Amino acid sequence: MKKLQYQEIREGCKLIEYDLKLAGKGKLWVEVYRDSEYEYRALFPDVADWSQVPMTILTHPIHETQNDLS
């Protein structure tokens, strides 16, 4: 598995979900992207402190039943 940078994920994958979620005593902005093999979740700190660079990117293989990108 090749580790992609955030800009590569934004340019090469389909954005399928974005949301502001509560996490502990703060908030997380979450962007979910997919390509043909993986799902990527970019996690950002509270939008007020948003730096345009995720604090982490979680990468998960897509199972056969999750391949529909439509």
Side-chain angles (χ1 to χ4, degrees):
M1 170 176 70
K2 179 185 173 204
K3 186 166 176 103
L4 298 178
Q5 298 296 318
Y6 177 64
Q7 192 63 32
E8 294 174 299
I9 293 169
R10 285 193 58 152
E11 292 173 358
C13 300
K14 183 176 182 177
L15 176 64
I16 60 169
E17 180 184 355
Y18 56 93
D19 199 5
L20 184 63
K21 302 199 182 253
L22 296 177
K25 293 184 179 183
K27 299 174 189 167
L28 281 177
W29 178 256
V30 181
E31 295 177 356
V32 182
Y33 295 87
R34 275 194 189 166
D35 63 16
S36 61
E37 298 179 48
Y38 295 97
E39 180 175 286
Y40 306 93
R41 292 182 177 266
L43 307 177
F44 297 87
D46 192 343
V47 177
D49 301 327
W50 195 55
S51 65
Q52 298 184 359
V53 177
M55 61 182 181
T56 192
I57 299 174
L58 305 175
T59 305
H60 303 283
I62 294 176
H63 301 292
E64 282 185 25
T65 57
Q66 297 173 313
N67 283 343
D68 184 15
L69 295 177
S70 58

